[in-house]
């Protein structure tokens, strides 16, 4: 019998039974170890999802409380019969409903369920609903912030109400859109999500037809938490369920959330045990090899001489040969071995020189590679900003030292991980940035640069990070992206403090300046006694200087309000021709003084545009005032308004002094006044065009110009044909 046959028999008799036993044991052990944690993870996800719903409802409760604490609500509570206060409250409630998107309607009520103000035109169904939830209304009128359970209103829609007291026995009550709850459920992670009230009735789901309802959920009146195996249409599901624990001040209504997951998915994961089985097989094979070594040791004695000879050859003695004493497999192997030694001895004569030559070449290439690598590392380390290069799938490929320092992570903790896992970015409202909206994802998807400023919360606290991401192309294909980022927290804080200081200082200056203007006006009019001619002239100079100071303060205050986003935007259907004509009437005296000609042309089919007339009037007023001021006597000024595509474009042109070409890049800067203009008109703040640009760009439009010194200037600005978006804000322009 051949040696190979004998070895095969021994392996079959010893190794196979051991491997089967090991496979069976490890498989059953690991299968249970995978299934149980998977179920627990599903229960944890259910708790987190329900907590997300409670957090959303608590935010609605807080928003109603904030609305109830507003000055407008307090004014109406103190003067329920005041028509201005009623109009202001109605407008605020309507803006609140339209702006958030979470409410069907919001009302302000007093005793006996009397509706003082409402966001809805028809309050009949609201009155029925208030009676339906009398206990909640009574509690709010009594001074408590409260809420109801889910119910069906008279129109047949699901809803729930949140109520918060104002004062004097009044309260603000909001009726939530149930679609907002459904949107929250749709955004939650998990397979099939169901939301049930305390009686076991389903009030929301990700897919009503596929929801599996566990038996425990239908038993109302108790706090529930657990995992069940349910069957639907002959398919088993792992169903986890938990009841509300509330979030902050929102205690909940003992709602129950479920997540259903096909059991086949859980068991499929448990079946994937190749690595565990490989380890088991390796251990079994090792044991088998130990046993085989003992059995085969005797069979392999003839090979000892061959091993000894081979070792001597390996040490460099190529004259060694095996002594052949048999003609079996070992004898044939010995002959082959001797033949190999003969060939090695022949080859070795030239091998050393070739090896040395090749070694030198490789050493040279290694040195070149090391130098290039050191150069690349030096370049990356010298970059003063954080840099992360990602692969096409968004995983980190390269990171420089500045980036690891900013993220407080080692390079090994970053490489190979998704970039959003390394940098946990936040939106402007503090929510996590989803992957498809991150700068890197946009750069990879669009092939264009993407940038932005995001929040980032880590051990250093909450920071503001400016990010620029650019795609990397190879053979016209995107193979990755490079992201450059730096911390702009201090810059943003400085800008905020600067804006607040300007706003505060400007606001405080208005009162004393108004007093100076008033007293100088009294002096000029003779209210304090008749003045001499010199005294009158001095008083007029004081009055004119005060006027310029007030104009400067108002401009600074308006700019700070726009930059901080505090300006109220109240769009209304506006006829631009009427708007411009009204402004021209106010400027008619100045036009006549300078004997200037004004041409106005408005597209006939333009119609009314949904704009804030107060803000847009400032734009036209600044352009026309500048045109009159910086155009000589007898000059010509024109206003053209037309529609181009989905934009309304306005042009204000003159044939005045123009702007020097070298200074045109500073036209929209704060306090800029051209050198040639300062010589002609000494008065001016240099803030008008900056204010114009801020108003237009915050309204979704853009502004540009063309000018030639000595020949005149043309300014254009465009606005979307859809108009401006409303914004609640805090103050109006020049308030």
């Amino acid at each position: 019998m051949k040696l190979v046959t004998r070895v095969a028999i021994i392996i079959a008799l010893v190794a196979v039974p051991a491997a089967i036993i090991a496979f069976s044991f490890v498989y059953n052990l690991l299968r249970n170890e995978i299934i149980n944690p998977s179920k627990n993870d599903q229960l944890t996800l259910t708790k987190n999802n329900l907590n997300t719903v409670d957090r959303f409802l608590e935010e609605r409760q807080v928003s109603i409380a904030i609305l109830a604490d507003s000055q407008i609500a307090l004014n109406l509570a103190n003067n329920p019969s005041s028509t201005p206060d009623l109009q202001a409250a109605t407008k605020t409630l309507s803006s609140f409903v339209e702006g958030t998107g979470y409410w069907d309607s919001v009302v302000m009520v007093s005793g006996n369920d009397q509706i003082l103000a409402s966001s809805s035109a028809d309050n009949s169904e609201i009155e029925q609903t208030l009676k339906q939830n009398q206990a909640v209304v009574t509690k709010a009128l009594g001074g408590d912030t409260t809420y109801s359970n889910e119910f069906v209103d008279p129109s047949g829609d699901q809803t729930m109400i949140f109520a918060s007291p104002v004062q004097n026995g009044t309260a603000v009550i909001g009726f939530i859109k149930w679609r907002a709850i459904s949107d929250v459920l749709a955004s939650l992670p998990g397979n099939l999500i169901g939301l049930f009230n305390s009686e076991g009735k389903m009030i929301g789901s990700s897919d009503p037809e596929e929801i599996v309802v566990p038996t425990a959920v239908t038993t109302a009146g108790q706090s529930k938490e657990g995992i069940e195996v349910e069957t639907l249409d002959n398919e088993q599901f792992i169903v986890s369920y938990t009841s509300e624990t509330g979030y902050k001040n929102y205690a909940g209504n003992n709602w129950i959330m479920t997540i259903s997951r096909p059991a086949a998915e859980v068991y499929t994961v448990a079946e994937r045990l190749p690595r565990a089985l490989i380890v088991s097989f390796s251990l079994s094979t090792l044991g088998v090899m130990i046993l085989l070594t003992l059995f085969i040791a005797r069979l392999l004695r003839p090979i000892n001489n061959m091993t000894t000879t081979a070792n001597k050859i390996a040490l460099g003695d190529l004259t060694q040969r095996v002594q052949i004493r048999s003609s079996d497999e070992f004898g044939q192997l010995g002959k082959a071995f001797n033949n190999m030694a003969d060939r090695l001895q022949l080859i070795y004569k030239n091998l050393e020189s070739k090896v040395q030559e090749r070694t030198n070449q490789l050493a040279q290439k290694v040195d070149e590679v090391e130098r290039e690598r050191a150069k690349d590392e030096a370049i990356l380390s010298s970059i003063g900003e954080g840099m992360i290069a990602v692969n096409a799938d968004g995983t980190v490929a390269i990171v420089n030292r500045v980036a690891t320092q900013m993220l407080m992570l080692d390079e090994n903790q970053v490489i190979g991980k998704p970039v959003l896992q390394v940098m946990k970015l936040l939106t402007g409202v503090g929510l996590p940035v989803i992957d498809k909206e991150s700068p890197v994802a946009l750069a990879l998807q669009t092939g264009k640069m993407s940038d932005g400023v995001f929040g980032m919360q880590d051990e250093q606290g909450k920071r503001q990070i400016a990010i620029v991401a650019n795609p990397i192309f190879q053979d016209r294909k995107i193979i990755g992206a490079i992201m450059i980022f730096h911390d702009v927290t201090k810059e943003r804080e400085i800008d905020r403090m600067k804006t607040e200081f300007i706003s505060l200082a400007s606001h405080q200056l208005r009162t004393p300046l108004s007093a100076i203007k008033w007293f100088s006006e009294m002096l000029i009019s003779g209210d304090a006694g008749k003045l001499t001619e010199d005294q009158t002239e001095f008083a007029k100079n004081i009055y004119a200087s005060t006027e310029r100071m007030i104009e400067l303060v108002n401009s600074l205050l308006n700019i700070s309000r726009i930059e901080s986003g505090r300006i109220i935007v109240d769009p209304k259907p506006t006829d631009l021709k009427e708007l411009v004509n009204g402004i021209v009437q106010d400027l008619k005296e100045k036009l006549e003084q300078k004997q200037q000609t004004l041409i106005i042309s408005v597209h006939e089919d333009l119609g009314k545009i949904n704009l804030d007339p107060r803000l847009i009037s400032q734009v036209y007023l600044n352009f026309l005032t500048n045109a009159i001021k910086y155009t000589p006597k007898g000059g010509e000024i024109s206003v053209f308004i037309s529609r181009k595509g989905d934009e309304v474009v306005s042009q204000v042109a003159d044939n005045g002094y123009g702007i020097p070409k070298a200074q045109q890049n500073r036209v929209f800067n704060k306090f800029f006044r051209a050198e040639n203009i300062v010589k002609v008109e000494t008065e001016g703040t240099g803030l008008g065009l900056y204010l114009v640009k801020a108003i237009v760009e915050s309204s979704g439009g853009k502004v540009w110009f063309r000018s030639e010194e000595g020949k005149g200037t043309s300014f254009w600005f465009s606005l979307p044909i859809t108009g401006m978006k409303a914004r609640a804000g805090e103050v109006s322009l020049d308030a």
Side-chain angles (χ1 to χ4, degrees):
M1 183 180 292
K2 291 184 177 181
L3 177 61
V4 175
T5 305
R6 284 180 286 172
V7 173
I9 292 173
I10 294 172
I11 293 176
L13 292 175
V14 178
V16 172
I20 292 174
I21 294 172
F23 266 73
S24 177
F25 174 77
V26 175
Y27 173 82
N28 289 305
L29 176 65
L30 294 181
R31 187 175 186 273
N32 292 329
E33 289 296 321
I34 290 178
I35 289 176
N36 292 332
S38 179
K39 291 181 179 179
N40 293 334
D41 290 345
Q42 183 174 326
L43 180 58
T44 300
L45 179 61
T46 308
K47 294 178 183 178
N48 293 339
N49 284 351
L50 186 53
N51 187 56
T52 299
V53 174
D54 285 350
R55 185 164 63 249
F56 172 81
L57 294 175
E58 198 274 343
E59 290 171 356
R60 307 288 77 74
Q61 181 175 329
V62 170
S63 66
I64 286 295
I66 292 173
L67 184 60
D69 288 339
S70 67
Q71 188 61 48
I72 292 177
L74 293 173
N75 291 343
L76 184 60
N78 292 324
N79 302 286
S81 60
S82 170
T83 300
D85 289 336
L86 174 60
Q87 292 175 346
T90 300
K91 182 178 179 181
T92 298
L93 296 180
S94 300
S95 299
F96 180 79
V97 170
E98 295 173 1
T100 62
Y102 297 126
W103 305 93
D104 272 323
S105 56
V106 178
V107 299
M108 184 172 171
V109 301
S110 63
N112 300 323
D113 297 345
Q114 179 183 358
I115 297 177
L116 299 178
S118 172
S119 64
S120 301
D122 185 3
N123 294 324
S124 59
E125 290 186 358
I126 295 177
E127 293 173 350
Q128 297 178 41
T129 306
L130 292 177
K131 292 178 180 179
Q132 185 178 347
N133 292 271
Q134 188 63 49
V136 176
V137 176
T138 301
K139 190 173 181 180
L141 293 174
D144 293 327
T145 298
T146 184
Y147 58 90
S148 73
N149 205 335
E150 171 270 344
F151 63 93
V152 178
D153 63 19
S155 64
D157 295 329
Q158 282 180 292
T159 187
M160 64 185 295
I161 64 176
F162 290 86
S164 185
V166 183
Q167 66 179 26
N168 298 333
T170 61
V172 173
I173 301 176
F175 300 79
I176 198 168
K177 286 184 179 179
W178 202 252
R179 191 185 71 230
I181 303 294
S182 300
D183 291 342
V184 173
L185 293 177
S187 67
L188 296 176
N191 287 41
L192 300 173
I193 300 175
L195 186 63
F196 302 81
N197 62 18
S198 59
E199 298 175 357
K201 176 185 174 183
M202 186 168 69
I203 58 177
S205 68
S206 60
D207 190 345
E209 296 181 1
E210 296 292 334
I211 292 300
V212 181
V213 184
T215 305
V217 172
T218 60
T219 306
Q222 59 183 2
S223 179
K224 305 176 183 67
E225 182 178 298
I227 301 174
E228 292 182 9
V229 179
E230 300 286 343
T231 302
L232 177 66
D233 297 333
N234 297 323
E235 183 180 1
Q236 281 191 329
F237 288 83
I238 305 297
V239 186
S240 57
Y241 56 92
T242 185
S243 57
E244 282 182 313
T245 58
Y247 184 79
K248 292 185 179 179
N249 295 325
Y250 178 73
N253 292 304
N254 206 24
W255 289 354
I256 303 168
M257 177 169 285
T258 67
I259 292 182
S260 307
R261 187 180 180 189
E265 292 183 10
V266 179
Y267 296 143
T268 298
V269 174
E271 301 295 336
R272 297 174 180 172
L273 306 173
R275 294 185 179 178
L277 293 180
I278 289 173
V279 173
S280 175
F281 177 78
S282 300
L283 294 174
S284 300
T285 303
L286 181 60
V288 171
M289 291 302 297
I290 293 173
L291 294 175
L292 287 177
T293 302
L294 297 175
F295 283 105
I296 300 175
R298 291 185 178 181
L299 300 176
L300 298 181
R301 284 180 182 175
I303 206 170
N304 287 338
N305 292 333
M306 190 180 299
T307 302
T308 302
T309 303
N311 288 333
K312 291 179 180 180
I313 292 175
L315 293 173
D317 188 0
L318 298 180
T319 61
Q320 294 291 324
R321 298 292 184 270
V322 175
Q323 300 298 320
I324 301 171
R325 296 188 177 91
S326 65
S327 59
D328 60 6
E329 286 87 346
F330 289 111
Q332 295 175 7
L333 180 59
K335 291 180 180 179
F337 187 87
N338 288 337
N339 291 334
M340 179 190 68
D342 292 339
R343 292 179 62 83
L344 283 174
Q345 191 174 14
L346 181 64
I347 295 172
Y348 188 74
K349 292 180 181 180
N350 298 321
L351 184 60
E352 284 188 349
S353 60
K354 292 182 178 180
V355 168
Q356 185 62 44
E357 181 182 354
R358 184 59 177 165
T359 301
N360 293 336
Q361 293 175 353
L362 290 175
Q364 185 178 358
K365 289 184 178 180
V366 168
D367 289 341
E368 292 176 357
V369 171
E370 286 298 325
R371 285 196 297 270
E372 289 297 322
R373 180 184 176 188
K375 181 180 178 182
D376 293 341
E377 289 180 351
I379 292 173
L380 291 178
S381 298
S382 65
I383 296 176
E385 297 181 331
M387 187 216 74
I388 294 178
V390 300
N391 299 314
D393 60 356
T395 57
V396 177
I398 301 174
V399 59
N400 72 345
R401 176 174 52 81
V402 176
T404 57
Q405 290 175 348
M406 290 181 65
L407 300 175
M408 294 189 299
L409 295 172
D410 294 332
E411 183 175 352
N412 295 332
Q413 295 176 294
V414 175
I415 300 298
K417 292 186 178 180
V419 68
L420 276 191
Q421 185 177 334
V422 174
M423 299 183 67
K424 297 180 180 179
L425 302 178
L426 303 174
T427 64
V429 295
L431 297 177
V433 174
I434 60 177
D435 181 67
K436 65 180 181 180
E437 294 181 359
S438 68
V440 169
L442 293 174
L444 291 173
Q445 292 168 8
T446 64
K448 298 178 180 178
M449 184 194 76
S450 177
D451 58 5
V453 178
F454 301 87
M456 191 169 75
Q457 184 78 36
D458 54 23
E459 295 179 3
Q460 297 184 19
K462 191 170 184 180
R463 296 182 287 167
Q464 296 288 317
I465 305 296
I467 299 175
V468 177
N470 280 289
I472 301 173
F473 291 91
Q474 185 178 47
D475 297 331
R476 298 185 179 180
K477 292 183 180 180
I478 299 176
I479 62 170
I482 289 183
M483 181 172 65
I484 304 296
F485 60 95
H486 63 279
D487 192 330
V488 294
T489 306
K490 292 183 179 178
E491 291 88 334
R492 286 300 177 97
E493 181 64 17
I494 291 171
D495 285 345
R496 183 189 66 77
M497 293 173 64
K498 179 187 69 176
T499 300
E500 289 181 356
F501 171 76
I502 292 174
S503 178
L504 178 61
S506 301
H507 193 275
Q508 294 299 322
L509 284 171
R510 293 177 74 179
T511 301
L513 287 173
S514 298
I516 294 172
K517 176 183 176 182
W518 182 64
F519 282 122
S520 60
E521 198 171 15
M522 290 179 62
L523 291 172
I524 295 171
S525 61
D527 291 345
K530 187 174 181 179
L531 303 179
T532 66
E533 185 176 344
D534 289 341
Q535 290 172 336
T536 302
E537 185 65 26
F538 293 154
K540 287 182 179 180
N541 288 337
I542 293 172
Y543 181 84
S545 297
T546 305
E547 278 282 311
R548 290 195 294 274
M549 283 292 292
I550 291 174
E551 180 185 354
L552 175 61
V553 167
N554 285 337
S555 297
L556 288 172
L557 193 57
N558 287 333
I559 288 170
S560 68
R561 287 167 173 172
I562 291 176
E563 288 178 343
S564 61
R566 297 170 53 233
I567 286 291
I568 297 172
V569 180
D570 184 18
K572 298 176 182 177
T574 303
D575 188 319
L576 289 179
K577 186 173 184 178
E578 293 180 3
L579 182 70
V580 173
N581 286 334
I583 296 170
V584 170
Q585 285 298 317
D586 295 336
L587 301 174
K588 188 174 181 180
E589 183 178 346
K590 293 182 178 180
L591 287 166
E592 291 175 350
Q593 287 177 357
K594 299 191 73 173
Q595 301 174 7
Q596 294 170 339
T597 302
L598 177 64
I599 301 172
I600 300 176
S601 175
V602 181
H603 195 284
E604 294 181 356
D605 299 329
L606 188 60
K608 292 186 176 182
I609 310 299
N610 202 34
L611 303 170
D612 187 323
R614 190 184 186 99
L615 289 174
I616 300 305
S617 292
Q618 281 291 326
V619 178
Y620 285 112
L621 181 60
N622 270 286
F623 281 145
L624 285 170
T625 302
N626 284 350
I628 294 171
K629 185 185 295 185
Y630 304 133
T631 300
K633 262 189 176 183
E636 183 176 285
I637 301 169
S638 58
V639 179
F640 298 101
I641 304 175
S642 61
R643 175 174 179 174
K644 292 186 178 180
D646 56 356
E647 294 181 328
V648 177
V649 179
S650 300
Q651 178 188 6
V652 179
D654 62 61
N655 59 354
Y657 304 119
I659 303 168
K661 188 174 182 180
Q663 295 182 304
Q664 290 183 5
N665 60 336
R666 299 168 51 203
V667 164
F668 295 107
N669 291 355
K670 289 180 182 177
F671 306 110
F672 170 75
R673 300 191 73 218
E675 292 178 354
N676 60 334
I677 296 302
V678 173
K679 298 175 182 177
V680 178
E681 291 285 345
T682 58
E683 297 181 2
T685 64
L687 293 173
L689 292 179
Y690 180 84
L691 179 64
V692 164
K693 189 172 187 290
I695 292 174
V696 172
E697 291 185 350
S698 67
S699 304
K702 56 185 178 180
V703 59
W704 66 99
F705 74 97
R706 185 171 64 240
S707 180
E708 187 175 348
E709 189 173 4
K711 293 186 178 181
T713 304
S714 294
F715 281 93
W716 290 268
F717 73 95
S718 64
L719 294 170
I721 195 68
T722 54
M724 300 167 61
K725 295 182 180 179
R727 185 170 62 226
E730 299 176 12
V731 293
S732 59
L733 210 61
D734 291 331

